[in-house]
Every structure is written in C-alpha cells, then in structure tokens.
Amino acid sequence: RNRDNKLLGGFELSGIRPAPKGQPEIRVVFDIDVNFILNVLAKDKSSGSQKQKTITGKGCLTKDDIERMVQKAEKDKAEDKALQEQIRQEQDLQKKESESASTIQRQQREGNG
C-alpha cells in the first residue's frame, strides 16, 4: 500500500521488450543486511536485463525506524498476502475478459459470430 511506503531511492530497469499485458516477468529482490543496508535487485526474465542498487539510508531512517517498519511488516503480512491474492484474481479475470473479447472480435471478423 502506498501509504506505508517511503521513497529511499530509485533506478530504471531498461531493455524490457514490449509484451502483452501480464506477460513480462520481472523479479525484484529486496535484502536488508544486519547493518540495515537495503540491497535491491530487479531482473527482466526474458531479456536478462538487470539493475542493482544499494541504499544505506544515511539521514533517511534511524535503526529504530527500520526495526519498527520490519515489525509492522511482519504484523501486516497476512493482510498483505490476502490483498496480493485479490489483485492476482482481478488480473486473471481481466486477462480472461480480454482474451474473450479478442475471440469474439475474431469470430465476428471471420463471420462465425
């Protein structure tokens, strides 16, 4: 949820080939080490394009802030998982709806509709 986010840094992953909605597979890994240094790795599966960024958080968050955020994330984990499942189901429904519309349009063009 956006309201829980705080911008710590950013980068752009380029070289991603155009693909139909829902097709690109981008793996993003977040790792926080014992010194509260955040390492982020993003990789596009099809092109192999990847980008990595290390965020030290100097001046952004205290260790107490980070620990509080980690504890809140653990507490909210079940709710986040349910929200993620709801989004996945909505995306699946949108994909099926789009596929059905394409099939109907194709059949109408071919005179089978």
Side-chain angles (χ1 to χ4, degrees), residues 1-52:
R1 297 171 302 226
N2 285 340
R3 70 176 186 261
D4 297 330
N5 294 339
K6 178 174 178 138
L7 181 63
L8 300 175
F11 60 85
E12 184 175 318
L13 181 61
S14 57
I16 300 172
R17 297 182 200 128
K21 183 177 180 180
Q23 297 272 328
E25 288 187 49
I26 300 172
R27 179 180 168 97
V28 181
V29 178
F30 298 91
D31 179 54
I32 300 175
D33 71 13
V34 295
N35 296 312
F36 295 99
I37 295 174
L38 174 64
N39 294 292
V40 182
L41 172 69
K43 182 175 183 178
D44 176 41
K45 188 175 180 180
S46 66
S47 70
S49 177
Q50 71 178 30
K51 197 84 167 208
Q52 184 170 349

Side-chain angles (χ1 to χ4, degrees), residues 11-105:
F11 60 85
E12 184 175 318
L13 181 61
S14 57
I16 300 172
R17 297 182 200 128
K21 183 177 180 180
Q23 297 272 328
E25 288 187 49
I26 300 172
R27 179 180 168 97
V28 181
V29 178
F30 298 91
D31 179 54
I32 300 175
D33 71 13
V34 295
N35 296 312
F36 295 99
I37 295 174
L38 174 64
N39 294 292
V40 182
L41 172 69
K43 182 175 183 178
D44 176 41
K45 188 175 180 180
S46 66
S47 70
S49 177
Q50 71 178 30
K51 197 84 167 208
Q52 184 170 349
K53 181 154 187 152
T54 299
I55 301 170
T56 60
K58 294 178 182 173
C60 292
L61 298 170
T62 66
K63 286 186 178 186
D64 288 341
D65 289 337
I66 295 170
E67 187 60 36
R68 190 170 38 258
M69 292 169 77
V70 169
Q71 289 174 359
K72 184 176 183 328
E74 285 298 321
K75 187 181 111 192
D76 294 343
K77 192 174 186 177
E79 182 182 335
D80 291 344
K81 190 168 187 128
L83 183 59
Q84 183 180 24
E85 177 61 19
Q86 179 184 351
I87 291 169
R88 186 195 62 76
Q89 289 176 357
E90 288 173 2
Q91 289 173 336
D92 286 349
L93 182 61
Q94 289 172 350
K95 183 177 177 184
K96 289 176 184 175
E97 183 179 40
S98 176
E99 290 170 353
S100 296
S102 294
T103 300
I104 290 169
Q105 288 174 352

